[in-house]
Amino acid sequence: MAAILESVMAPVFKSTQPTTSRRAFNSAAPTTTGWSRCRQIYCERKDEATKGFAVLRRKTVALILSGCVFTQIDFRSFAFAKPSVGFREYIDTFDGYSFKYPQNWIQVRGAGADIFFRDPFVLDENLSVGFSSPSSSRYNGVEDLGPPEEAGEKVLKQYLTEFMSTRLGVRRESNILSTSSRVADDGRTYYQVEVNIKSYANNNELAVMPQDRIARMEWDRRYLSVLGVENNRLYELRLQSPENVFVEEEDELRRVMESFRVNKVT
């Protein structure tokens, strides 16, 4: 009986079981080769994305750096560009003279001259005007000083007297660079004198042995004087500038010299 039941029920049980075979199941599941291909595609896309990001990053960095470089170039060009120099005119109607000076120079009072201006950044660069007293000497013209060469010797002697030092080991070297005469647009004759003076000082002025007293240059300056006569007075415009600064600003300083005029006082 049991054998009969088993023989009858067996086809029923077999028909109710899933008909999907192992081969079908295995074909539905990804094979090892499929996984490798997927991984390869994923890696390739990842590499492409990484390369794209790297290229974008390099371009971005290059753009930033180029901007910085151009910014620095523009800044340096601006920083070292020589600005145009403007001038102001100073007129003294009471004492009878006038001149032009760089507009950024400032006036300094109590400097021992009738008027004194200086560069606010280069303190050794300045100008001043002085004049003689008609009670002590009466001038009819600048020719009273003699020819320009003789006037240059007197100007240099005056400079050296004023710069005389009582310090030990100080030595001054001087040289007259040029002397000239010109007639300005006011019809008056002016003398121009250019002088170079160097100052040397020992680094150890109290040393006993000469080899221990080494002279070093303290300063090297250009002095320019313009001389004119009016109102029985001798007027002098003085310009002082370090030699290295004079080379750069010669045109401006010569314009100041040429602008100097003496005027009749009424």
Side-chain angles (χ1 to χ4, degrees), residues 176-216:
I176 297 178
L177 301 178
S178 68
T179 58
S180 61
S181 174
R182 64 178 175 88
V183 179
D185 53 6
D186 59 357
R188 298 181 177 85
T189 300
Y190 295 86
Y191 283 175
Q192 295 186 169
V193 180
E194 295 186 31
V195 174
N196 173 261
I197 301 178
K198 298 180 177 65
S199 178
Y200 296 87
N202 294 332
N203 60 343
N204 188 7
E205 63 274 9
L206 300 179
V208 178
M209 304 303 294
Q211 61 270 22
D212 296 330
R213 298 191 298 270
I214 301 176
R216 302 185 182 278

Side-chain angles (χ1 to χ4, degrees), residues 119-256:
D119 190 311
F121 305 104
V122 184
L123 301 184
D124 286 342
E125 189 175 35
N126 55 64
L127 70 84
S128 62
V129 175
F131 47 82
S132 63
S133 172
S135 60
S136 59
S137 59
R138 298 182 65 86
Y139 291 90
N140 296 318
V142 72
E143 294 83 1
D144 293 346
L145 297 173
E149 296 79 12
E150 185 176 343
E153 294 289 344
K154 294 178 181 178
V155 170
L156 176 59
K157 183 178 179 180
Q158 181 65 28
Y159 276 129
L160 294 178
T161 300
E162 294 176 3
F163 296 148
M164 188 177 297
S165 177
T166 58
R167 291 185 299 153
L168 296 176
V170 175
R171 175 173 56 88
R172 302 280 160 75
E173 289 185 1
S174 60
N175 184 29
I176 297 178
L177 301 178
S178 68
T179 58
S180 61
S181 174
R182 64 178 175 88
V183 179
D185 53 6
D186 59 357
R188 298 181 177 85
T189 300
Y190 295 86
Y191 283 175
Q192 295 186 169
V193 180
E194 295 186 31
V195 174
N196 173 261
I197 301 178
K198 298 180 177 65
S199 178
Y200 296 87
N202 294 332
N203 60 343
N204 188 7
E205 63 274 9
L206 300 179
V208 178
M209 304 303 294
Q211 61 270 22
D212 296 330
R213 298 191 298 270
I214 301 176
R216 302 185 182 278
M217 188 170 63
E218 291 183 307
W219 45 262
D220 181 11
R221 298 173 184 163
R222 177 75 62 99
Y223 294 93
L224 307 101
S225 293
V226 183
L227 306 170
V229 172
E230 186 56 80
N231 308 308
N232 300 123
R233 293 177 174 179
L234 175 64
Y235 294 81
E236 180 182 14
L237 169 73
R238 287 187 176 186
L239 276 169
Q240 171 184 301
S241 176
E243 277 290 346
N244 60 334
V245 177
F246 177 80
V247 172
E248 299 178 357
E249 302 182 0
E250 180 177 359
D251 294 340
E252 290 81 5
L253 296 179
R254 293 198 182 280
R255 184 173 175 181
V256 174

Side-chain angles (χ1 to χ4, degrees), residues 19-29:
T19 59
T20 304
S21 63
R22 180 176 298 271
R23 177 176 295 181
F25 177 80
N26 291 338
S27 63

